[in-house]
Amino acid sequence: MDNYIKKQITKSQIEPLCKKYNIDQILASILVRRGITEGQDVLYFLEDDMRFQHNPFLLNTMEDAVERILQAKEEGEKVLIFGDSDVDGITSTAILYGYLKKIGMDVQWRLPLADDAYGLSIAAVDDFAAQNGTLIITVDCGISNFEEIKHANDLCIDVIVTDHHNPPETLPEAVVVIDPKVPGCGYPFEHISGAAVAYKLVSALRFAQSDFYGSEICLLNIEKNESDGSFDFDILKVRNLVKVSALHETFIPGKTDIYNMKFMRFLQGQIIYVWDSVQVKAIFADIFGSNVEINLYDLKNEISKIMPALKTKKTEELKKLSLIAKYLDEENSTISALFNLYFTWCKNIISLKNKSLAEDERKEIQLVGIAALADIMPMKNENRIFVRNAIESIKKDGPRAGLAELFVKLRLTPAEICSTDLSWNVIPALNAAGRLGQSDVSLELLLSEDAKQRVILAEKIFNLNEERKNLVGYATAKIHETAKNSIEGFNNSLCVVIDACINPGVTGIVATRFMQDFNVPCIAVTYCNDICIGSMRTCRGLVATDFLDSFGDFFENHGGHNAAAGFSFKKEKLEEFIARLTLASSKIKLEDEEPATEIDAEIPPSYLSPEIFNLLERMEPFGAENTELNLMSCGLVLHDAMLVGKKEPASLKMHFNSGKNLFLGMFWNAGNRLNKDINIGEKYDIIYSMKYNYFRGTKSEQLIIKDIQKSN
């Protein structure tokens, strides 16, 4: 077990989390070891409610996008949604197209097909112009399409870019750019998928149909200090459920000139909400005299209609009721609690007026969750909310149309679905169509209203996925030795394969396979006609987009994320490309090859019970930046063991006695160790992860053994 370490932590690190968030010591120790100790980080591991996602209007260009789309709707403009061909692009397109079509807009979609390059194309712009189209909305692409957007502008077509890829220093001249990675965009979390950005736009458009859109209101709270008779004024200005500005002032009778206080100008012309208008008016009368009248809206009267339990609550009690307050680093103030209640009230009013809202959002969130996993977004912050709600919706409501037919074809049971099933089965199948130049098949599956057609499309996607597997297998087998031998020529820092046998649609998968095999970043390139098409997959700290940016204007097109990127260039530049790669590889500094795996927690045998699997459910979904749990238990008796599996090497099916329970453990490909260094009846220390096993409708707990040694 030399390759495993357990960080030493203290009670002083664990106990504050236990007390503040009412969690047990084992969960708290896992969070501490993973560096999840700040309230805003802990929130997304303990809460699942969709209300904890970030407000779309925090993106400071969101209202501009909403206004332009509403204008297009009002004037009957023709709109094109242009997406990418991968799962993120397909789901992004489905989400936005579905909503715009539902509200009656003249909308169409287009994706890259066959040999089309990534991103918006001149041809797509020209074809749309020929139809007298006037608005293009890109999803999951567009942030680097300078020439194409300029061409659209020249043809009097406006472009709204919604993207999530790393932006260039200078943005394209679109009428609106929405990208959480743009510096200064106002959004608190940049690592969301393109589908999440499209979902944010749809959410903002829905909000724009409410009476709350565009209105600026003030939340006011006044508290009297009995000790000195002073009054504290707290005011929060809110627009589209976003905190715009805040003011705190203290008025001391006989000392402060009330007419010089800032709050007078702050409130002028505003709609003012308070918790108890009678109480606040009495305070105003106390300060200004009984002749002063101020128009106040009583939030308590409105909220108590939908939350009757709050009708008797006094202002000072509000902050004790706020669920989110314990996660906020800021002071748990009454004005913050008032904002949270106002936010909840607005959302409830909108839901009551839109009966189909909850169902529509559940269908969309299934796609947002799948996109987050497909694009390997970090499983933290609101991505956890998206994926958890996606899985919960699939289990409880059933997969949305299109996904349901694909689940049947893939023999997946919705009630048993988890993030691993989505990542290893559903996502590759949806991706296969785009990789083989038929991304429209996957999109049509998600959009079709014809059940029979969806069954046919699901069958086609299944077959395309089988073809994709064969293409990857053929290419990786043929060039495996070439890939391995290339590493030395690129300063042991890079694996490079350039071969026409690689299908253009699977360069990313091939690069990923070799990166995993050789533990160095990999670039896979193929060529089609006169264009070379490549993908880069990185590891050990190398940022893909930074590496490709260092090539300057060499590429026809390039872009992506920190760990995955794509590019294209003219085939005549191939020798120059190899020379540049050789030089660039000499400057790469990779992180250590095999960092030790960290153990999240040691579970004493007495704690090893079915209830410990609550840890698994709480820490899911696993993925980027939230790897599966590595747990350790010591002194477990091996009760029995048997060989399983038809292929060599066989695996071990084992049962461990924790003193109170027998636990099933699976140790893959370790059958040859039975009756050698693994013997029934002896005590062992084990390192393992946890997994639920489903068999004939029965759900059971099992341990996945990663390492084992005899107890001292």
Side-chain angles (χ1 to χ4, degrees):
M1 296 188 178
D2 294 337
N3 205 35
Y4 291 89
I5 59 170
K6 186 176 73 168
K7 286 183 181 176
Q8 294 301 312
I9 54 177
T10 63
K11 280 189 176 181
S12 63
Q13 292 174 284
I14 296 172
E15 288 178 349
L17 269 68
C18 296
K19 183 177 180 181
K20 187 173 184 178
Y21 305 116
N22 192 30
I23 59 177
D24 62 48
Q25 290 190 348
I26 293 177
L27 177 56
S29 68
I30 292 172
L31 295 178
V32 169
R33 285 194 175 94
R34 293 197 170 203
I36 305 163
T37 56
E38 298 298 322
Q40 287 282 22
D41 296 328
V42 174
L43 163 65
Y44 293 101
F45 279 84
L46 300 187
E47 303 293 343
D48 302 332
D49 200 302
M50 284 294 292
R51 64 177 162 158
F52 294 115
Q53 65 173 308
H54 302 303
N55 189 326
F57 289 101
L58 288 170
L59 287 154
N60 53 29
T61 55
M62 183 61 78
E63 192 168 349
D64 295 333
V66 168
E67 288 297 312
R68 181 62 187 89
I69 294 170
L70 292 179
Q71 176 190 334
K73 181 178 185 296
E74 184 177 339
E75 298 182 4
E77 294 181 57
K78 193 180 291 291
V79 179
L80 170 67
I81 300 171
F82 191 96
D84 189 19
S85 59
D86 65 1
V87 168
D88 195 13
I90 292 163
T91 52
S92 302
T93 307
I95 289 167
L96 186 56
Y97 175 83
Y99 177 76
L100 296 187
K101 184 182 179 183
K102 184 172 183 176
I103 63 174
M105 293 188 68
D106 184 356
V107 60
Q108 57 186 278
W109 54 263
R110 181 162 174 165
L111 304 173
L113 298 175
D115 298 330
D116 291 347
Y118 164 81
L120 185 63
S121 64
I122 295 292
V125 174
D126 286 339
D127 290 347
F128 188 54
Q131 302 176 53
N132 298 314
T134 52
L135 177 62
I136 296 174
I137 308 173
T138 70
V139 291
D140 191 34
C141 63
I143 199 68
S144 299
N145 287 125
F146 294 94
E147 294 302 320
E148 294 81 4
I149 291 173
K150 182 181 183 301
H151 184 61
N153 293 340
D154 292 341
L155 296 175
C156 298
I157 299 173
D158 286 343
V159 180
I160 296 173
V161 171
T162 77
D163 204 346
H164 74 129
H165 292 93
N166 294 345
E169 288 187 15
T170 303
L171 299 178
E173 295 179 358
V175 291
V176 184
V177 174
I178 302 176
D179 187 332
K181 286 191 173 75
V182 171
C185 71
Y187 205 68
F189 182 61
E190 65 178 39
H191 300 293
I192 57 175
S193 67
V197 177
Y199 174 73
K200 296 291 176 182
L201 177 56
V202 167
S203 298
L205 286 165
R206 282 201 182 98
F207 184 80
Q209 305 303 313
S210 73
D211 297 333
F212 303 109
Y213 174 68
S215 64
E216 198 167 81
I217 64 104
C218 279
L219 297 169
L220 168 66
N221 183 60
I222 309 175
E223 294 183 0
K224 184 175 183 179
N225 298 308
E226 298 298 334
S227 58
D228 60 2
S230 64
F231 296 89
D232 287 325
F233 286 73
D234 279 296
I235 311 171
L236 200 58
K237 194 169 286 186
V238 178
R239 180 182 176 87
N240 295 331
L241 302 187
V242 173
K243 300 175 185 178
V244 177
S245 55
L247 177 69
H248 174 82
E249 280 191 306
T250 300
F251 170 70
I252 304 175
K255 294 184 179 180
T256 307
D257 183 353
I258 189 70
Y259 296 101
N260 283 332
M261 292 182 71
K262 295 178 182 178
F263 87 88
M264 300 284 284
R265 295 184 295 276
F266 204 81
L267 292 174
Q268 191 171 8
Q270 297 290 318
I271 298 171
I272 306 169
Y273 281 94
V274 297
W275 181 248
D276 186 333
S277 60
V278 174
Q279 181 186 31
V280 175
K281 284 180 179 179
I283 292 175
F284 269 111
D286 198 10
I287 296 173
F288 291 102
S290 58
N291 294 328
V292 173
E293 288 190 12
I294 186 166
N295 192 23
L296 302 174
Y297 291 86
D298 200 318
L299 196 56
K300 179 166 69 171
N301 290 339
E302 297 297 331
I303 288 180
S304 60
K305 293 176 184 177
I306 56 175
M307 291 182 275
L310 297 180
K311 190 171 185 178
T312 59
K313 299 298 180 182
K314 296 181 180 179
T315 309
E316 56 268 23
E317 295 178 284
L318 296 181
K319 56 187 177 183
K320 297 178 183 178
L321 302 173
S322 176
L323 176 62
I324 197 173
K326 64 183 177 182
Y327 299 108
L328 300 178
D329 296 327
E330 62 192 54
E331 183 183 353
N332 182 14
S333 62
T334 302
I335 196 69
S336 291
L338 203 59
F339 170 76
N340 293 331
L341 285 169
Y342 174 74
F343 185 97
T344 302
W345 174 62
C346 290
K347 289 292 187 179
N348 272 277
I349 294 297
I350 293 170
S351 296
L352 288 171
K353 290 185 176 181
N354 186 348
K355 299 299 183 183
S356 68
L357 177 61
E359 182 182 354
D360 291 344
E361 288 187 333
R362 284 195 296 269
K363 290 178 181 177
E364 290 162 357
I365 212 64
Q366 289 185 15
L367 299 184
V368 176
I370 286 172
L373 293 168
D375 246 36
I376 318 179
M377 294 295 100
M379 284 300 105
K380 60 182 182 180
N381 207 281
E382 65 180 345
N383 285 329
R384 295 185 57 78
I385 298 286
F386 295 147
V387 177
R388 288 182 71 88
N389 278 272
I391 293 171
E392 188 68 13
S393 175
I394 290 171
K395 286 181 174 180
K396 286 190 174 181
D397 310 314
R400 59 174 280 155
L403 288 182
E405 288 76 11
L406 188 58
F407 271 51
V408 171
K409 189 62 191 172
L410 296 173
R411 298 182 179 179
L412 294 174
T413 305
E416 300 172 2
I417 206 72
C418 66
S419 59
T420 303
D421 296 320
L422 294 175
S423 295
W424 287 93
N425 296 291
V426 178
I427 290 167
L430 287 173
N431 246 339
R435 294 188 185 281
L436 299 184
Q438 301 180 54
S439 54
D440 54 335
V441 178
S442 288
L443 181 54
E444 286 171 357
L445 174 71
L446 298 177
L447 293 176
S448 176
E449 297 177 3
D450 185 330
K452 290 183 179 179
Q453 184 190 26
R454 292 197 301 268
V455 172
I456 294 170
L457 291 168
E459 173 76 22
K460 189 172 183 179
I461 286 172
F462 180 85
N463 292 333
L464 286 170
N465 193 35
E466 292 300 305
E467 183 181 347
R468 186 269 308 171
K469 292 177 185 177
N470 292 333
L471 288 170
V472 172
Y474 169 74
T476 52
K478 183 178 179 182
I479 59 178
H480 186 275
E481 286 303 308
T482 302
K484 183 178 180 181
N485 295 334
S486 74
I487 299 173
E488 184 177 352
F490 291 94
N491 299 287
N492 295 310
S493 298
L494 200 61
C495 170
V496 179
V497 284
I498 302 170
D499 200 304
C501 78
I502 307 173
N503 183 282
V506 300
T507 56
I509 302 178
V510 171
T512 299
R513 290 279 179 89
F514 291 143
M515 179 197 72
Q516 293 170 343
D517 286 348
F518 308 127
N519 198 28
V520 294
C522 181
I523 289 176
V525 179
T526 189
Y527 31 88
C528 184
N529 298 323
D530 295 326
I531 296 293
C532 287
I533 299 167
S535 293
M536 183 174 190
R537 297 295 182 265
T538 68
C539 59
R540 297 169 59 187
L542 181 64
V543 177
T545 48
D546 288 352
F547 182 81
L548 296 179
D549 286 345
S550 70
F551 281 63
D553 59 359
F554 177 86
F555 298 112
E556 294 290 300
N557 205 336
H558 77 283
H561 307 293
N562 290 357
F567 57 87
S568 63
F569 59 89
K570 291 181 179 178
K571 189 179 177 183
E572 63 192 40
K573 294 183 176 181
L574 186 54
E575 288 189 12
E576 181 186 353
F577 175 67
I578 295 171
R580 286 197 181 200
L581 270 185
T582 305
L583 178 62
S585 67
S586 67
K587 301 175 183 178
I588 294 175
K589 294 183 179 179
L590 299 178
E591 295 174 355
D592 291 342
E593 284 195 38
E594 294 185 6
T597 301
E598 295 183 358
I599 295 170
D600 291 294
E602 182 174 345
I603 311 297
S606 60
Y607 281 71
L608 198 54
S609 66
E611 287 72 31
I612 204 69
F613 273 68
N614 291 335
L615 291 174
L616 174 64
E617 297 185 8
R618 182 42 51 200
M619 295 301 291
E620 273 270 19
F622 298 117
E625 298 187 35
N626 185 49
T627 55
E628 65 179 7
L629 292 172
N630 289 305
L631 303 173
M632 181 170 71
S633 292
C634 298
L636 297 176
V637 175
L638 180 58
H639 183 266
D640 61 47
M642 63 181 293
L643 299 177
V644 293
K646 296 179 181 179
K647 295 181 180 180
E648 292 294 334
S651 298
L652 276 179
K653 182 178 181 181
M654 319 158 80
H655 282 94
F656 292 95
N657 191 335
S658 68
K660 294 181 179 179
N661 301 279
L662 281 180
F663 260 95
L664 170 64
M666 295 300 301
F667 198 0
W668 305 115
N669 304 323
N672 60 336
R673 295 177 63 178
L674 185 61
N675 298 322
K676 293 179 182 177
D677 63 328
I678 297 178
N679 297 285
I680 295 170
E682 296 188 2
K683 286 187 176 181
Y684 290 94
D685 302 340
I686 60 171
I687 294 173
Y688 57 93
S689 60
M690 299 186 293
K691 182 182 179 181
Y692 283 115
N693 183 48
Y694 296 90
F695 183 69
R696 294 179 180 175
T698 301
K699 177 181 176 182
S700 61
E701 302 86 8
Q702 68 179 26
L703 312 179
I704 306 300
I705 310 302
K706 297 185 175 183
D707 205 349
I708 186 170
Q709 70 177 19
K710 286 185 180 180
S711 302
N712 292 327

